[in-house]
Amino acid sequence: AILFQVLFLHPPIIVFSMVFILTFALSVSSPPMDTEKGRRKVVHVLEDESGAVIVQTAPGKVVTHRGGSITLPCRFHHEPDNTDPARIRIKWTKVTDALQFEDVFVALGKQQRVFGSYQGRVFLEQAGRGDASVIIQNVTLEDYGRYECEVTNDMEDDTGFVNLDLEGVVFPYYVREGRYKLNYHQAEDACKHQDAILASHAQLHKAWLDGLDWCNAGWLEDGSVQYPISHPRDQCGRKDTPAGVRNYGYRHKGDERYDAFCFTSKPNGKVYFLKRFKKVNYAEAVKACIRDGSAVAKVGQLYAAWKFQLLDRCEAGWLEDGSIRYPIVNPRSRCGGSQPGVRHLGFPDKKFRLYGVYCFCKNPEETTGGSKVTQSLKRSLPKWKSSNSTPMNITNVT
């Protein structure tokens, strides 16, 4: 017997999405779900004496990366089945950890409206009667999170939830001025300036499971302050305490200062080390990248290139924030330790001619605001499985 999610249709409208309450074991002959290709299958079973039964197989969340295309699945069935489709309203809303709501999409019959940054990127899937799924194209970092699907017919409505996850990398960040210099709003701006967003607790926890070990507390997107410890030691909260993500709780966003944990995903371009015959100072590095048709890479872009491009370069170079870093995928002698990661050499005087430079070249098809929609994206299939993890250690982190 295969375990399926089953709901009996007593209310007028039942919405089927990623959150279900009642499960039964039914013997149903159906093809296995093709998770490798990211397909989801919905199997309709004949009605029995208890009423209509719909069986749906689906994972607990949908996963994509920045720039990808993803379907947020949501299906509904109405009793009786002769309801006028023009009277059914479908609404999608993004729900934040602070229980704030952001309108995404609404449709009433053939009339549709898309809101804010989702304009030009969100469409109904329209895979048949009872399908309220939407497709998000050219996914951004800010699209990460929890979405509510609401279906309404006159006075009756029901809702379900879908979690949109992104493949990516978490990295700790602090500014040139030193440790613990950022309030929440400054930390949020610092991550955005480095092509990232403040990480969520779930993202930091996953990074800790993958080996992230960092002894400085940082802001997360929900306003809490936390830090991950994989190897307990006295200087990081006592050696005899268990490993885990240490939590300072929710702190005052304006008055208190910490570092930041940022999250970024697949880059919308390419990072490369600019080959030169001599070392450059920071101003010369900026000019060199511009002459090469690029810009000095940001910290988040270098981490994303290390994660997704497998960029491996044992040469230290300038980044946009004035820090010196270099990415190592295959650890070797004289390249900064035995673990893969992005090495950080600090913030030297910008006048020093001791380093090279990492440049970033944006994809030519990218447009301002990242809202370009292509036919290839429209044809792409959703991805359901998460990315493989990469080991990290205390100084070389992902």
Side-chain angles (χ1 to χ4, degrees):
I2 305 174
L3 189 63
F4 291 97
Q5 319 289 34
V6 180
L7 283 83
F8 294 92
L9 305 181
H10 292 300
I13 296 179
I14 296 293
V15 175
F16 299 90
S17 69
M18 309 307 297
V19 177
F20 298 92
I21 300 176
L22 187 59
T23 63
F24 290 91
L26 297 181
S27 296
V28 179
S29 177
S30 63
M33 183 174 62
D34 189 358
T35 56
E36 291 301 318
K37 295 184 179 180
R39 301 178 186 274
R40 62 184 165 85
K41 296 183 180 295
V42 179
V43 183
H44 296 272
V45 185
L46 293 178
E47 298 183 6
D48 58 19
E49 294 180 356
S50 62
V53 178
I54 296 179
V55 180
Q56 182 174 22
T57 60
K61 61 184 177 182
V62 293
V63 183
T64 186
H65 54 74
R66 176 168 51 185
S69 179
I70 194 70
T71 297
L72 304 186
C74 179
R75 295 193 63 85
F76 67 94
H77 185 88
H78 181 267
E79 289 288 348
D81 204 28
N82 59 357
T83 301
D84 183 3
R87 296 167 57 190
I88 295 179
R89 188 187 73 158
I90 299 170
K91 183 179 181 181
W92 281 89
T93 308
K94 187 178 180 184
V95 186
T96 69
D97 286 343
L99 293 181
Q100 297 177 340
F101 298 88
E102 177 185 2
D103 290 337
V104 175
F105 173 91
V106 65
L108 179 60
K110 295 183 178 181
Q111 296 181 340
Q112 300 180 10
R113 182 180 177 185
V114 185
F115 297 87
S117 63
Y118 296 94
Q119 292 182 13
R121 300 191 299 119
V122 175
F123 308 89
L124 274 179
E125 186 179 46
Q126 297 180 326
R129 190 175 181 85
D131 184 23
S133 306
V134 292
I135 299 173
I136 301 180
Q137 298 177 333
N138 197 11
V139 171
T140 68
L141 294 175
E142 290 76 16
D143 292 342
Y144 167 86
R146 184 175 175 86
Y147 290 80
E148 178 187 71
C149 172
E150 179 185 39
V151 178
T152 305
N153 176 31
D154 296 331
M155 299 300 294
E156 302 292 340
D157 67 89
D158 202 357
T159 60
F161 295 90
V162 181
N163 291 315
L164 172 57
D165 198 4
L166 297 179
E167 298 172 344
V169 53
V170 172
F171 62 94
Y173 187 77
Y174 61 93
V175 293
R176 174 180 286 274
E177 290 73 22
R179 304 278 190 177
Y180 291 8
K181 299 294 184 180
L182 303 172
N183 64 27
Y184 174 85
H185 307 289
Q186 293 167 335
E188 190 175 39
D189 290 341
C191 288
K192 288 182 179 179
H193 193 67
Q194 296 307 316
D195 194 44
I197 57 175
L198 278 175
S200 68
H201 169 74
Q203 290 166 338
L204 182 64
H205 186 264
K206 182 181 183 301
W208 169 73
L209 291 175
D210 291 342
L212 178 58
D213 186 296
W214 194 254
C215 199
N216 294 88
W219 290 102
L220 297 183
E221 58 93 18
D222 63 356
S224 66
V225 174
Q226 306 181 32
Y227 65 102
I229 295 296
S230 297
H231 308 288
R233 48 205 182 275
D234 287 337
Q235 62 268 38
C236 295
R238 296 179 58 182
K239 187 176 182 179
D240 57 353
T241 56
V245 177
R246 310 285 168 78
N247 192 341
Y248 286 1
Y250 298 99
R251 315 305 297 181
H252 193 286
K253 291 183 176 181
D255 293 344
E256 300 190 41
R257 283 167 168 73
Y258 301 93
D259 294 341
F261 285 102
C262 304
F263 174 86
T264 192
S265 185
K266 185 177 180 180
N268 54 3
K270 181 180 180 180
V271 174
Y272 62 96
F273 185 82
L274 184 60
K275 295 181 180 180
R276 293 180 56 86
F277 295 107
K278 61 180 182 179
K279 305 299 184 182
V280 294
N281 61 31
Y282 180 80
E284 293 168 339
V286 172
K287 293 178 181 178
C289 287
I290 293 175
R291 284 196 299 267
D292 206 49
S294 304
V296 178
K298 298 182 178 183
V299 177
Q301 292 167 341
L302 184 64
Y303 271 93
W306 169 77
K307 175 77 172 181
F308 292 96
Q309 292 177 211
L310 299 182
L311 183 62
D312 184 294
R313 189 85 185 192
C314 193
E315 295 185 71
W318 291 102
L319 293 185
E320 187 271 345
D321 67 340
S323 65
I324 301 296
R325 306 175 195 246
Y326 62 99
I328 296 296
V329 175
N330 301 306
R332 49 207 183 271
S333 60
R334 298 193 297 273
C335 286
S338 60
Q339 295 294 322
V342 175
R343 316 291 196 240
H344 183 196
L345 303 185
F347 296 86
D349 191 317
K350 290 185 176 182
K351 297 179 181 179
F352 288 172
R353 287 190 176 93
L354 300 175
Y355 312 101
V357 59
Y358 285 94
C359 302
F360 176 77
C361 182
K362 197 170 185 179
N363 289 334
E365 66 270 17
E366 292 293 325
T367 61
T368 302
S371 62
K372 183 176 181 179
V373 178
T374 64
Q375 291 299 320
S376 61
L377 281 176
K378 290 184 179 180
R379 292 191 296 267
S380 63
L381 292 172
K383 297 181 180 180
W384 305 102
K385 59 182 182 179
S386 60
S387 61
N388 294 328
S389 60
T390 307
M392 300 166 279
N393 71 354
I394 182 172
T395 56
N396 308 302
V397 297
T398 64

